[in-house]
Amino acid sequence: QSINDQIFNAINNNTPKWEPSWWHPDFPKTKLFHSLKNDMRIQYAEKFFSSIKSKIYHIRDPWCSPTYHPFIQDSILMPKFANFRDPTAYYTALAHEHIHWTGPTWRLNRLWFQKPKRDFNKTRITEEITAELGSAYICKYLELDNNDNHIRYIASALKMVKHRYHDEIISSSIINSSEAFEYIIDKIKSEYTS
């Protein structure tokens, strides 16, 4: 069964709501998280992401959520590693933001990054599901199991748009996330062959 089938077959009306996996002052449950130590980093995952050669900034500000900023130095902002629930949660969020990183006009030119934005909410949700599906592909590639998180995130995102758009959004997201994943893998391979 493909990762797409595993995720979309698991989504139903009883899918629990997605919750952030990093500490944030607005999320009271996350105050239970214990600080991760640097020796808990997964070295092969570190090597994978450093090979992409993206700009990643770890922000001390407790209000920071993982974010990709195409027009602010083409950079990814991440909470500190220590603020995550566990190492897999950190790499899942980092993968999600790297899929967003592939989207601008100077890379894969996805609809969300084009101006003017058409069907704002539908386009935004398509981009979010693209990023989360792509994150699932990267996690599977790195042998990091976080499918429950992917399922909850995608189910929560789909609830934000009318049901009649679901098939179109899912179809576009599968295509986009596959292209984004291949783009990242090709970029890493080119780093090793150049």
Side-chain angles (χ1 to χ4, degrees), residues 86-105:
D86 55 54
T88 298
Y90 170 79
Y91 296 111
T92 299
L94 191 56
H96 179 103
E97 297 311 322
H98 272 90
I99 297 297
H100 283 313
W101 174 87
T102 67
T105 53

Side-chain angles (χ1 to χ4, degrees), residues 100-166:
H100 283 313
W101 174 87
T102 67
T105 53
W106 57 90
R107 292 195 184 97
L108 295 178
N109 195 24
R110 283 197 300 275
L111 199 55
W112 174 248
F113 295 92
Q114 298 170 13
K115 294 183 179 180
K117 299 213 185 327
R118 294 170 294 178
D119 298 324
F120 180 87
N121 198 40
K122 187 170 75 170
T123 307
R124 182 176 68 88
I125 296 304
T126 302
E127 178 61 23
E128 284 305 318
I129 294 174
T130 293
E132 195 60 28
L133 264 183
S135 174
Y137 301 158
I138 291 172
C139 287
K140 183 170 182 170
Y141 183 84
L142 295 174
E143 299 180 353
L144 301 173
D145 181 16
N146 208 7
N147 270 2
D148 285 347
N149 182 76
H150 303 307
I151 291 163
R152 288 177 184 201
Y153 190 99
I154 291 169
S156 296
L158 284 170
K159 287 177 183 172
M160 297 172 75
V161 289
K162 292 178 180 172
H163 193 270
R164 71 174 185 252
Y165 296 129
H166 285 194

Side-chain angles (χ1 to χ4, degrees), residues 24-80:
H24 191 289
D26 278 350
F27 310 135
K29 288 184 180 177
T30 65
K31 291 185 179 176
L32 303 173
F33 292 172
H34 300 289
S35 288
L36 296 180
K37 305 290 184 240
N38 271 334
D39 63 0
M40 298 172 76
R41 289 179 181 271
I42 300 170
Q43 291 310 310
Y44 65 87
E46 291 286 320
K47 185 174 181 182
F48 177 90
F49 289 108
S50 67
S51 298
I52 299 169
K53 303 293 186 199
S54 56
K55 294 177 189 168
I56 304 168
Y57 300 104
H58 291 87
I59 308 298
R60 292 182 183 273
D61 182 349
W63 297 96
C64 175
S65 294
T67 315
Y68 167 62
H69 288 284
F71 305 112
I72 304 175
Q73 297 183 342
D74 188 26
S75 59
I76 293 169
L77 303 183
M78 288 287 290
K80 293 173 67 177

